[in-house]
Amino acid sequence: MVFYSALFLAFLYFKIARVYNKEEKSNVNVWILNSIVAFAIGVLIVYGFMHETWYIFLIVSYIFFIVAALIVSAVQLGVFIDGKPFIKISHLFQSLAIIGMFISFADLYLWAI
């Protein structure tokens, strides 16, 4: 369960990071964070191919890719309650570090088992 949660958050992270790079000015801190998380996601993918059935891994990855894209697109379009945005894209930008931390800790947990 930890693996699939981390895999979904990996796709969600890079969808948010792609939007962040298009809308905001990136700086060195964001570049370093993206590099660390990219390494952690690479390690997660290696774990997936080594410990999961490859065709299940690819099917689930494709589904997670689509769902992450739909979530970020829905937030970009806006989720409104009583005329006020419920979730803003800035909320997603603020969660990048937390998502990246979860992915990194999930890698450490998975490889330590």
Side-chain angles (χ1 to χ4, degrees):
M1 188 68 190
V2 173
F3 170 71
Y4 290 110
S5 299
L7 186 63
F8 174 71
L9 288 177
F11 285 111
L12 187 64
Y13 179 88
F14 272 110
K15 286 295 183 181
I16 297 169
R18 183 186 62 82
V19 171
Y20 183 83
N21 284 337
K22 289 187 177 213
E23 292 186 5
E24 303 287 331
K25 242 183 204 181
S26 62
N27 53 24
V28 176
N29 295 334
V30 173
W31 189 85
I32 291 171
L33 177 66
N34 288 345
S35 300
I36 291 170
V37 175
F39 177 75
I41 291 172
V43 171
L44 185 70
I45 290 172
V46 168
Y47 179 88
F49 276 116
M50 289 177 63
H51 293 91
E52 302 291 330
T53 310
W54 66 272
Y55 55 87
I56 298 294
F57 174 69
L58 291 178
I59 291 169
V60 169
S61 296
Y62 182 71
I63 291 169
F64 285 167
F65 176 78
I66 298 296
V67 171
L70 289 173
I71 288 172
V72 173
S73 297
V75 171
Q76 280 182 306
L77 290 174
V79 179
F80 295 98
I81 296 178
D82 294 332
K84 296 179 184 176
F86 178 63
I87 299 174
K88 297 180 184 176
I89 195 74
S90 62
H91 293 134
L92 294 181
F93 294 158
Q94 293 172 356
S95 67
L96 279 177
I98 296 168
I99 294 171
M101 184 180 65
F102 178 80
I103 294 168
S104 301
F105 286 145
D107 276 345
L108 291 174
Y109 176 77
L110 289 171
W111 283 101
I113 293 178

